Amino acid sequence: MRILEVEHLSAWYPSGRTRRQVLEDVSFTLDRGQVLGLVGESGCGKTTLARAILGLHRACAGVVRHAFPRPQMVFQDPYGSLNPAHTLLWTLEEPLRAIGTGRKERRDRAMELLDRVGLGPEYAGRYPQELSGGQRQRAAIAAAVIARPALVVADEPVSALDVTVQRQILDLLAELKRDDSLSYLFISHDLNVVYQICDRILVMDKGRIVEENDTDTLFAAPKHPFTKKLLEAAE
Amino acid sequence: MGKRTNLFLLLGGGLTALMVGLALLGTFWTPYSPTAMGAGEKFAPPSLAHLLGTDNFGRDVFSRVLQGMGASLLIAACVVAIGCLAGTLVGCLCGYFGGPADYLLTRLCDAVTAFPSVLLALVIVSLAGRGTAQIVVALGILFIPSFARLVRGETARHRQANYIQSARLMGVSHGRILTAHILPNLWGVLGPGVVIGFNNAVLSEASMSFLGLGVQPPFPSLGSMLSDSQTYLQRAPWYALSAGMAIALLILGFSLLAEGLQRRRRA
């Protein structure tokens, strides 16, 4: 089942009197339960694509179709993705409040999810400032998935973390996906990370998709010169 | 910094508590009636019966200072309340929604701030008449821009934050984002802002009353006492000193408290 269809998506940034095109005619689809990787060098338009898909970037043209409402996003910077004025419990309950879940169920689900992301009930009353980067990213992921979205767009979710924590967060994302038939659009500049978690991969260069294939084929037999260059650089 | 004691907060808090306590006391009880003439001899120097002496009508200066402080603080509280509430509302809406209305209101605030506030208050009072209520409204309006600017900047900064973007994706309404997601982040800057506002309001009220536009005689106000006592500066220096010191100590307390709050926030 298709949960996301993107057709002929283009996007711009205003630059002086003209506009600078950052996405050019991007089309792809994402099936339920799949992890789609989006790789490319920094500045190639990956984050703009993520924001355009979620409706956070206005200056764009094309069609984006979501099969389910309220896709969520996990950001690169774990320091800015949690509200510093609220406890983790409040932050986890907020998506449920927005869809009108009752008080008791909100609390139960928040506590259960805290446990599942490896933070435990003692973190319920903590503020983001009291957590490490990895813990914050766990909390941010919990807040993204608590209302059971079908799609989570993860924009470089492990790039700001050190390698051991990266591994833990990737495992957590994989585990949440197994249980909840979630789909991810997983954005990264790091091919090693993408290889570990993605089923299919889109390679992006200068605002265009230059190659798309399933992970094993892409790594074994890259076709586009840019993909080859990326793979060589990663080794 | 960590565990080092915040001397500013301690001293400022203590001094402010003491002065506000005295002012509160003055609204309920004073040794003599502040308006009773001939409570003692005219120009009696400080003594045990009259702690701060008496003035040109033989009124007890200590009683007048107590009640004057109460009046000054009450006016300052109303002024800050008007400025803070309206300023926060304007600042939140401007900072969050932006657009032409934000541009217009920001320019208006800049224009108001560009004039000396006492001058503008004079204009308002000359239009609306003199008296306590007029002073409160005039100063209250003049205090809006500083709060609006403070809140607007902070709100605009938070609006860009990822957690606000997340909240939008979750389907949280604009109203709830402003009140439940952004507002709780503003207390940190509003706290010192309110204390500094208090400081400025006490000074402004004293200036207005000094010019005879604020609290009307015979009721005491620190500003009008300072104004009245000028004539007797050599004959009864305790009169002017008492009113002046009360203003100075109030301002000092608020300034230290504001500085302490800001240091605590930065730590």
Side-chain angles (χ1 to χ4, degrees):
Chain A
M1 182 195 180
R2 289 275 155 81
I3 65 151
L4 173 67
E5 287 179 357
V6 176
E7 287 170 13
H8 309 296
L9 183 66
S10 297
W12 309 269
Y13 275 106
S15 138
R17 268 188 212 160
T18 55
R19 52 187 198 178
R20 193 167 59 84
Q21 185 144 18
V22 278
L23 290 181
E24 225 177 309
D25 196 26
V26 172
S27 301
F28 65 91
T29 60
L30 173 55
D31 291 337
R32 183 140 216 198
Q34 221 182 28
V35 180
L36 181 64
L38 177 65
V39 293
E41 293 170 323
S42 47
C44 75
K46 299 182 304 258
T47 297
T48 309
L49 178 58
R51 294 173 53 85
I53 287 170
L54 296 173
L56 296 173
H57 185 85
R58 291 286 170 77
C60 57
V63 181
V64 176
R65 255 182 242 115
H66 291 277
F68 296 94
R70 296 203 176 90
Q72 295 297 308
M73 185 153 176
V74 175
F75 296 90
Q76 171 174 4
D77 173 21
Y79 290 87
S81 48
L82 298 168
N83 195 326
H86 292 292
T87 62
L88 289 194
L89 183 65
W90 189 94
T91 297
L92 288 188
E93 282 189 21
E94 184 65 1
L96 298 177
R97 258 183 232 113
I99 56 172
T101 310
R103 176 188 292 262
K104 169 125 188 4
E105 195 193 336
R106 278 199 319 253
R107 211 191 140 80
D108 291 347
R109 272 170 70 181
M111 296 309 275
E112 184 210 326
L113 200 56
L114 265 181
D115 210 45
R116 273 179 70 191
V117 300
L119 286 175
E122 69 270 26
Y123 284 87
R126 302 257 180 108
Y127 287 88
Q129 303 86 290
E130 305 169 50
L131 307 181
S132 69
Q135 288 171 330
R136 286 180 210 216
Q137 202 59 300
R138 286 169 189 274
I141 290 168
V145 302
I146 194 163
R148 305 207 173 107
L151 171 65
V152 171
V153 176
D155 185 10
E156 305 264 10
V158 297
S159 303
L161 308 171
D162 58 54
V163 181
T164 43
V165 184
Q166 275 192 3
R167 181 75 248 175
Q168 295 165 3
I169 297 291
L170 289 176
D171 288 344
L172 171 65
L173 285 169
E175 195 189 309
L176 288 171
K177 191 199 119 194
R178 244 193 324 276
D179 302 346
D180 283 345
S181 68
L182 258 171
S183 308
Y184 297 127
L185 176 61
F186 191 97
I187 300 173
S188 183
H189 67 278
D190 187 341
L191 281 169
N192 292 319
V193 167
V194 169
Y195 183 75
Q196 291 176 55
I197 192 166
C198 296
D199 305 312
R200 287 177 71 75
I201 293 174
L202 302 169
V203 181
M204 194 170 201
D205 183 31
K206 299 191 185 90
R208 294 166 177 274
I209 304 286
V210 295
E211 186 164 357
E212 175 180 3
N213 221 326
D214 60 83
T215 304
D216 292 334
T217 317
L218 188 105
F219 272 79
K223 290 197 189 77
H224 195 274
F226 179 75
T227 315
K228 289 177 186 162
K229 205 182 98 193
L230 271 185
L231 282 170
E232 276 163 24
E235 271 157 17
Chain B
M1 213 158 132
K3 297 250 185 316
R4 235 172 68 190
T5 27
N6 191 333
L7 208 63
F8 285 94
L9 199 62
L10 215 67
L11 274 176
L15 189 53
T16 306
L18 178 72
M19 297 307 278
V20 171
L22 281 174
L24 275 178
L25 175 75
T27 55
F28 298 112
W29 175 85
T30 48
Y32 300 88
S33 162
T35 50
M37 304 200 185
E41 283 179 42
K42 285 182 188 176
F43 300 124
S47 64
L48 273 180
H50 300 282
L51 282 177
L52 298 175
T54 61
D55 68 1
N56 50 323
F57 293 113
R59 295 177 296 198
D60 182 51
V61 172
F62 183 59
S63 303
R64 288 181 69 73
V65 166
L66 281 188
Q67 202 171 63
M69 278 204 307
S72 289
L73 283 176
L74 186 65
I75 292 173
C78 295
V79 166
V80 170
I82 293 175
C84 184
L85 287 178
T88 302
L89 185 71
V90 171
C92 267
L93 294 176
C94 283
Y96 187 71
F97 290 108
D102 168 39
Y103 184 82
L104 217 68
L105 280 167
T106 308
R107 292 294 159 275
L108 185 68
C109 284
D110 287 347
V112 171
T113 324
F115 286 99
S117 61
V118 170
L119 191 69
L120 270 182
L122 277 175
V123 173
I124 298 181
V125 168
S126 63
L127 291 174
R130 49 181 68 181
T132 311
Q134 282 87 337
I135 283 289
V136 166
V137 173
L139 290 178
I141 291 172
L142 294 177
F143 272 60
I144 294 174
S146 64
F147 283 102
R149 194 186 289 179
L150 189 73
V151 170
R152 184 192 170 278
E154 280 292 293
T155 305
R157 196 168 65 79
H158 283 289
R159 190 188 60 160
Q160 302 295 331
N162 288 340
Y163 51 83
I164 299 301
Q165 312 256 349
S166 290
R168 288 301 302 153
L169 290 175
M170 288 161 192
V172 181
S173 67
H174 288 302
R176 184 164 167 82
I177 285 186
L178 272 174
T179 52
H181 292 248
I182 292 182
L183 199 60
N185 281 296
L186 299 181
W187 301 139
V189 293
L190 272 179
V194 163
V195 178
I196 294 169
F198 243 93
N199 194 345
N200 294 335
V202 167
L203 261 186
S204 303
E205 185 277 325
S207 321
M208 301 299 286
S209 295
F210 184 82
L211 297 172
L213 298 165
V215 177
Q216 295 302 305
F219 297 103
S221 132
L222 297 178
S224 59
M225 285 175 69
L226 205 54
S227 166
D228 295 342
S229 63
Q230 285 187 105
T231 329
Y232 316 110
L233 206 52
Q234 297 201 327
R235 212 164 152 201
W238 52 85
Y239 188 10
L241 269 176
S242 306
M245 282 303 283
I247 296 175
L249 286 176
L250 269 176
I251 302 289
L252 183 66
F254 285 131
S255 304
L256 289 175
L257 186 61
E259 178 66 24
L261 284 175
Q262 268 163 351
R263 281 181 188 229
R264 193 181 63 173
R265 196 168 154 255
R266 265 180 254 129

